Amino acid sequence: MFDTSVLSLWPQIVSGGLVVGFLVGMTGVGAGSLMTPFLITKVGISPAIAVGTDLLFAAITKASAVAPHHTFGHVNWRIVRWLAAGSVPGSLAMLALIKILEPDLATMAAVIKTGLSAALILSSFALLIYPFMKRASFQDAPDKADETAARPFPTMLLGFLLGSVVTLTSVGAGAIGVVVLTLLYPALRPRYLIGTDIVHAVPLTLVSGLGHLGMGNADFALLGLLLLGSLPGIALGSRLTGILPDWLLRSALAAILVFAAYQLHAKG
């Protein structure tokens, strides 16, 4: 789908992508949590198109981080495989449910907004509690990511739930995924948790995004404008990571997510 009408909105889409990319570059989370609410509430994109386009956006941007994380040994590939074994079927199941139910646009928009608001609140809570969980979890952590054994069933279950939520709302693969992985793998060091979570998000968002694209719920013109603004923003934010205290960044991002949830509810 290529809607040329969004080209007239290029200044606010590109600038919004720049701001979101900057925040993602500084904090490592927030792409889906911030981009989809921005597209719905500030640009006026329909919820279904916003979710589908943002999933493809996430797949592209996260894919660029796979090679560095793998090179630095930050990925537990066994955990990635078990997560994907649950999340890909979870995504396909949610896509099938949407297709079978064939909700009208108003109903689908209402469902997505409700699910998105809930996912934003959970993400903000996850951002705030993660540092406390992190400090208490890795005192005797292995030195290498792959030294931690996978827990197949609970990891697949987490993947299935994430796949369903992410496919419906485009939110959850980042902050929520890392927090739950911390509960499942308390001995895994934070950089390994983040690397594993980012790599797993690539097949999940790609499958979900292509599924939405197949149903007409994605816009390539919008995707191009988002990438045009966000890629420089991510690069700039990454360079500034560490200048501001981590607690301040996470608190500010959590507040932004709660505000985004409020705006979605107010505009519903």
Side-chain angles (χ1 to χ4, degrees), residues 9-43:
L9 301 172
W10 72 266
Q12 62 188 111
I13 296 174
V14 172
S15 59
L18 179 67
V19 172
V20 171
F22 179 76
L23 290 172
V24 171
M26 289 193 72
T27 65
V29 295
S33 304
L34 294 172
M35 191 65 78
T36 301
F38 162 73
L39 292 175
I40 295 172
T41 61
K42 300 302 182 184
V43 185

Side-chain angles (χ1 to χ4, degrees), residues 246-266:
D246 184 67
W247 67 266
L248 178 60
L249 291 172
R250 289 185 175 273
S251 298
L253 187 54
I256 292 171
L257 296 183
V258 172
F259 180 70
Y262 165 75
Q263 285 215 312
L264 281 170
H265 178 73

Side-chain angles (χ1 to χ4, degrees), residues 132-141 182 185-188 190 193:
F132 301 100
M133 297 173 61
K134 180 178 66 174
R135 281 198 290 268
S137 67
F138 63 93
Q139 294 176 353
D140 300 315
T182 304
Y185 300 98
L188 203 60
L193 286 166

